[in-house]
C-alpha cells in the first residue's frame, strides 16, 4: 500500500479507491459521473429558473 | 459586421436598437469572484486534495526486486520499451507511430537521447567506488564485443522474463530459477553463460536500494537538474507505476485519462479524447496515439470553426433552447409564433 | 487630450490611442447598462469562468511564492493546493456550461465570429495548461500522467520539444507561458464582447434564404423588437 499524505483539512476523506460505474464499454468514476450530472442539472436550472429584475427591464423597454 | 462574418455567413443580425436596463458590471464581477472563491473554499474544507507520494527507484528495488532486476537487464540488453522506443529517445522503432504518409515522430527526430545500457546500468555502476569485483566485471563487459554483451544479458534475462510472464499470467513462477534473499533483498538468477552481468545487475540492485540510482539518474549531466525523464522512463519500463495506477483506475483501458487518484473528480473534459482509445480500430492499433491526436485535432478545428459549418451552425435555430433563454424578451415583443 | 497642441501625424502612440478609443470608448468598455433581453441565469457563466480564473491565478501565485515542493510538507500549502485544484474543476465546469449556453444562442451571429473563436481557443489552450499543472505536482499522479501523456505527444512529434517528463519545462509552461496565453485570450474575448455587445436574440420570424439580396428589403426594428429583424425571407446564420 503506498503511503498517502494525511488530509488535515478534509471533512470527507476521498483518499480511497474510487467506485466505478460500468455501462457497456464506458467506465466512469462516481466522482466524475456526479460532476457530469451536476453540469446538466446546472445548465437546465439556469435555463428554467426565473431571473430577477423584470421590473427594471420593463422600465428599460418602455 | 466584420469582413470574416460577411465572407462566410448569411447572418443579418443587426445591432440592438431596443431598451437597456441598469447593470453594474464591476459589482457583478466582484460578486462572482467572491462566490467562486467561497465555493472553492467550501470544497477544500469538505474534501481537500489528493497527494499520493511518488514512487522511487529505491522503493521499487526494495518492494519488487525481481521486477527491478528484470527491467534493468532489459535496459542493458536493449530490449526494454525505452530502449526500443524510437524518437525522441533513440533511433529504434518499437513505439514509432505513423498514419498513411505522416511520420511526425520520425520527422522531429531524437531530441532527448537515452542509451539505456549506458544511462541505466553502466553509468550508475561507474559511480560505485572501492568494489574490485564490480570494477573487474565492468571492465570485462566493456571490453567484450557487442554481440557477446548481448548474449550475456539475454542469458541472464531469459529466466527473469519467464518469471515475470508467469506472475503476469497469474501462474506459479519458477522460484528455483529466480529467487529473492528475504534478509538482504538480493536476487539470485540461475543462468549459465551470463558472464559479468550477474555481478553488474546485483551491484545495481544494491545501489538502487540505497537510493543511489535515483540520484545518479537525475544528476548524471550536471548538479542542478529538473529533468526527470531518465528515472521516470526507467520506472515506467517496470511495473511499479502501472501496478499503482491500476489500483487507482488510472490505466488507459480503465478510462484513466479522466480519473484522479482516490475518489476525487478528475479531468472530465478529456472524455472525448479518451473515448477513442476504448473503441476499435484504435483500441488495438499500434498507431492509436497518432490517430486519436489527428481526430481530436480535426474536431478541435471544427469546434473553432462552428460559425462556418453549415448544419452545425444552424442547429441552435432548429432546436429552440433559445426560446427558454429569451422567453421574457419574446413575450414582451409579442412576436407572432415562430414559423422556422 | 493630447499633451502637445498638434501631435505629429506619424505618432504611433496617438494612432494607437485613437484606434483604441474608437473601438472601445469608455462607456462601451465599462458600460452601466445592458440590453433588456439579458434575462437568464445562463448569462452568469461567462463571468463565473473569469472568477474561477482569478481564483486559479491567485491560488497558483501563492503556491508559486513558496515553490513547487511546499504544498507537500505543510498543511497551509496543501490548503492552497486544494483551492487551486477545486478552482480548476469549477473553471472547466462553468466554462463548459457557458459554452453550451453560447452555442444554443448561436452567439457567433452579428459579426461575433471572433468572439466564438477566441472562446473556443481559450478552452483548447486551457486543456494543456491543466496538463502542465498535473505533471508539475511532483507526486505519483504527476509520475503516471507524464509517463502516459508522453506517448501521445511523442506520436505527433511534439514530444521532441515539449517534454512532459521534464519537470522544469512543464513548471515554466504552467506558471508563466500558458496562463499568459489563457489570460491574453480571455482578455481579447471579453474586449470583443464589449465591442460587439451581447448577442441579440434569434429572430423567431427568420427563414433560411439562399439569396442575401432579399435581406436588403428587411424591416426596421421597433423599440424592444428582436434585434435581428428580418423580412419574411430574411437571412439565417
Amino acid at each position: 500500500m503506498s503511503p498517502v499524505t494525511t488530509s488535515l483539512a478534509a471533512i470527507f476523506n476521498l483518499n480511497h479507491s474510487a467506485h466505478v460505474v460500468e455501462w457497456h464499454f464506458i467506465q466512469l468514476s462516481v466522482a466524475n459521473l456526479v460532476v457530469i450530472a451536476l453540469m446538466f442539472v446546472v445548465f437546465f436550472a439556469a435555463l428554467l429558473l426565473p431571473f430577477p429584475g423584470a421590473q427594471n427591464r420593463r422600465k428599460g423597454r418602455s | 459586421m466584420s469582413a470574416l462574418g460577411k465572407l462566410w455567413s448569411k447572418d443579418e443580425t443587426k445591432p440592438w436598437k431596443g431598451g437597456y436596463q441598469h447593470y453594474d458590471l464591476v459589482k457583478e464581477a466582484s460578486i462572482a469572484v467572491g462566490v467562486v472563491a467561497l465555493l472553492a473554499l467550501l470544497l477544500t474544507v469538505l474534501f481537500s486534495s489528493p497527494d499520493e507520494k511518488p514512487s522511487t527507484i529505491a522503493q521499487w528495488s526494495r518492494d519488487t526486486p525481481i521486477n527491478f532486476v528484470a527491467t534493468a537487464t532489459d535496459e542493458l540488453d536493449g530490449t526494454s520499451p525505452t530502449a526500443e522506443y524510437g524518437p525522441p529517445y533513440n533511433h529504434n522503432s518499437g513505439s514509432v507511430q505513423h498514419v498513411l504518409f505522416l511520420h511526425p515522430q520520425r520527422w522531429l527526430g531524437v531530441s532527448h537521447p537515452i542509451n539505456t545500457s549506458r544511462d541505466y546500468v553502466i553509468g550508475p555502476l561507474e559511480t560505485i567506488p572501492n568494489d574490485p569485483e564490480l570494477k573487474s566485471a565492468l571492465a570485462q563487459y566493456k571490453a567484450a564485443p557487442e554481440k557477446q554483451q548481448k548474449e550475456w544479458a539475454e542469458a541472464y534475462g531469459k529466466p527473469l522474463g519467464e518469471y515475470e510472464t508467469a506472475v503476469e499470467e497469474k501462474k506459479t513462477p519458477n522460484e528455483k530459477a529466480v529467487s529473492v534473499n528475504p534478509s538482504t533483498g538480493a536476487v539470485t538468477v540461475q543462468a549459465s553463460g551470463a558472464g559479468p552481468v550477474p555481478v553488474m545487475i546485483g551491484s545495481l540492485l544494491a545501489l538502487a536500494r540505497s537510493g543511489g540510482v535515483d540520484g545518479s539518474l537525475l544528476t548524471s549531466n550536471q548538479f542542478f537538474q529538473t529533468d526527470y525523464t531518465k528515472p521516470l522512463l526507467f520506472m515506467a519500463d517496470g511495473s511499479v507505476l502501472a501496478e499503482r495506477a491500476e489500483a487507482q483506475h488510472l490505466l488507459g483501458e480503465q478510462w484513466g485519462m479522466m480519473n484522479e487518484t482516490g475518489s476525487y473528480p478528475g479531468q472530465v473534459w478529456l472524455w472525448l479524447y479518451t473515448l477513442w482509445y476504448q473503441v476499435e480500430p484504435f483500441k488495438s492499433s499500434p498507431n492509436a496515439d497518432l490517430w486519436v491526436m489527428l481526430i481530436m485535432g480535426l474536431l478541435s478545428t471544427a469546434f473553432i470553426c462552428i460559425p462556418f459549418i453549415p448544419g452545425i451552425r444552424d442547429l441552435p435555430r432548429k432546436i429552440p433552447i433559445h426560446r427558454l433563454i429569451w422567453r421574457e424578451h419574446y413575450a414582451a415583443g409579442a412576436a407572432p409564433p415562430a414559423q422556422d | 487630450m493630447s499633451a502637445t497642441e498638434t501631435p505629429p501625424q506619424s505618432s504611433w502612440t496617438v494612432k494607437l490611442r485613437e484606434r483604441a478609443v474608437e473601438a472601445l470608448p469608455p462607456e462601451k468598455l465599462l458600460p452601466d447598462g445592458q440590453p433588456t433581453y439579458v434575462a437568464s441565469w445562463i448569462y452568469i457563466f461567462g463571468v463565473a469562468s473569469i472568477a474561477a480564473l482569478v481564483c486559479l491565478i491567485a491560488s497558483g501565485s501563492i503556491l508559486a511564492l513558496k515553490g513547487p515542493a511546499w504544498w507537500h510538507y505543510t498543511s497551509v500549502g496543501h490548503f492552497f493546493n486544494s483551492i487551486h485544484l477545486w478552482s480548476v474543476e469549477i473553471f472547466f465546469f462553468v466554462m463548459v456550461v457557458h459554452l453550451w449556453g453560447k452555442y444554443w444562442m448561436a452567439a457567433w451571429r452579428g459579426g461575433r465570429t471572433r468572439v466564438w473563436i477566441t472562446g473556443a481557443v481559450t478552452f483548447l489552450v486551457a486543456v494543456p495548461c491543466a496538463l502542465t499543472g498535473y505533471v508539475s505536482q511532483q507526486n505519483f499522479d504527476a509520475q503516471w500522467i507524464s509517463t502516459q501523456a508522453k506517448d501521445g505527444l511523442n506520436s505527433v512529434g511534439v514530444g521532441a520539444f515539449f517534454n512532459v517528463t521534464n519537470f522544469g519545462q512543464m513548471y515554466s509552461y504552467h506558471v508563466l507561458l500558458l496562463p499568459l496565453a489563457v489570460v491574453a485570450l480571455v482578455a481579447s474575448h471579453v474586449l470583443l464582447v464589449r465591442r460587439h455587445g451581447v448577442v441579440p436574440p434569434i429572430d423567431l420570424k427568420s427563414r433560411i434564404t439562399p439569396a442575401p439580396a432579399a435581406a436588403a428589403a428587411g424591416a426596421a426594428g421597433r423599440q424592444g423588437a428582436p434585434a435581428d429583424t428580418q423580412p419574411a425571407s430574411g437571412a439565417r446564420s
Side-chain angles (χ1 to χ4, degrees), chain B residues 1-2 4-5 9-26 28-29 32-33 36-37 39-41 43-45 47-56 85 87-89 97 104-105 108-109 111-112 226-229 232-233 235-236 241-242 244-245 248 250-252 259-261 264-267 269-270 273 277 289-290 293 300 303-308 312-319 321-323 325-326 328-330 333-336 338-340, chain C residues 29-40 42-44 47-48 51-52 54-55 71-72 78-79 81-83 85-90 92 99 101 103-106 108-114 116-117 120-121 123-124 127 130 134 137-141 143-148 150-161 163 165-169 194 199-212 215 219 222-230 235-237:
Chain B
M1 187 186 297
S2 70
L4 212 56
S9 172
K10 297 189 176 69
D11 170 34
E12 295 286 341
T13 302
K14 292 185 176 54
W16 174 246
K17 297 270 192 286
Y20 281 77
Q21 54 183 317
H22 290 302
Y23 166 63
D24 193 334
L25 186 135
V26 171
E28 183 190 85
V33 171
V36 170
L39 180 58
L41 181 64
L43 291 166
T44 294
V45 168
F47 303 117
S48 187
S49 57
D51 191 14
E52 295 265 338
K53 279 194 168 17
S55 292
T56 63
Y85 198 95
Y89 311 121
Q97 301 189 29
Q105 198 171 346
L108 273 291
S111 63
H112 198 302
T226 57
D227 184 357
Y228 288 80
T229 304
L232 279 172
L233 259 49
M235 285 197 283
L241 296 179
R244 284 183 77 179
Q248 298 273 8
L250 297 178
L251 295 181
N259 293 341
E260 177 61 80
T261 53
Y264 288 88
Q267 300 77 248
W269 53 91
L270 294 179
Y273 183 65
Y277 285 97
D289 292 310
L290 182 53
M293 280 287 201
S300 300
F303 169 51
I304 294 170
C305 295
I306 281 178
F308 308 123
I312 308 281
R313 72 181 179 201
D314 303 315
L315 214 55
R317 282 188 191 271
K318 295 195 166 82
I319 300 175
I321 288 175
H322 60 270
R323 289 186 195 238
I325 298 171
W326 291 310
E328 188 187 289
H329 165 81
Y330 292 136
Q339 289 163 40
D340 53 342
Chain C
L29 187 61
L30 286 173
D32 60 301
Q34 66 184 0
T36 51
Y37 55 76
V38 179
S40 169
I42 200 67
Y43 283 102
I44 69 167
V47 69
V54 167
C55 290
W71 73 280
H72 294 294
H78 198 131
F79 172 82
N81 179 75
S82 304
I83 298 272
L85 176 69
W86 288 110
S87 299
V88 172
E89 295 289 333
I90 295 168
F92 278 97
L99 154 68
Y103 174 74
W104 292 110
M105 288 188 216
W108 50 83
R109 289 175 295 115
R112 295 171 177 83
T113 313
R114 282 176 300 174
W116 176 267
I117 289 174
V121 175
F123 174 80
L124 293 170
V127 171
Y134 279 105
Q137 291 180 92
Q138 296 198 308
N139 58 12
F140 166 67
D141 203 26
Q143 290 180 315
W144 179 251
I145 293 173
S146 58
T147 51
Q148 293 298 291
K150 73 166 200 313
D151 293 323
L153 293 165
N154 287 341
S155 75
V156 289
V158 165
F161 54 85
N163 182 2
T165 52
N166 183 336
F167 167 74
Q169 185 185 23
R194 292 271 66 81
V199 70
I202 293 172
D203 178 18
L204 295 181
K205 289 179 294 194
S206 68
R207 296 278 187 276
I208 299 172
T209 184
R222 58 181 166 83
Q223 189 88 339
D228 51 348
T229 47
Q230 304 300 331
R236 176 183 293 205
S237 66

Side-chain angles (χ1 to χ4, degrees), chain B residues 68-69 72-73 76 121 125 156 196-206:
Chain B
F68 173 84
V69 162
T73 309
L76 185 63
V121 183
L125 288 176
Y156 191 72
V197 171
V199 170
M200 289 166 64
I201 298 294
S203 299
L204 189 72
L205 176 61

Side-chain angles (χ1 to χ4, degrees), chain C residues 168-234:
Chain C
Q169 185 185 23
M170 291 300 105
Y171 192 68
S172 305
Y173 268 81
H174 184 67
V175 165
L176 178 67
L177 299 175
L178 289 173
L180 260 182
V182 170
V183 167
L185 284 161
V186 169
S188 48
H189 182 70
V190 171
L191 289 175
L192 283 165
V193 175
R194 292 271 66 81
R195 181 151 173 209
H196 295 286
V198 177
V199 70
I202 293 172
D203 178 18
L204 295 181
K205 289 179 294 194
S206 68
R207 296 278 187 276
I208 299 172
T209 184
R222 58 181 166 83
Q223 189 88 339
D228 51 348
T229 47
Q230 304 300 331
S233 55

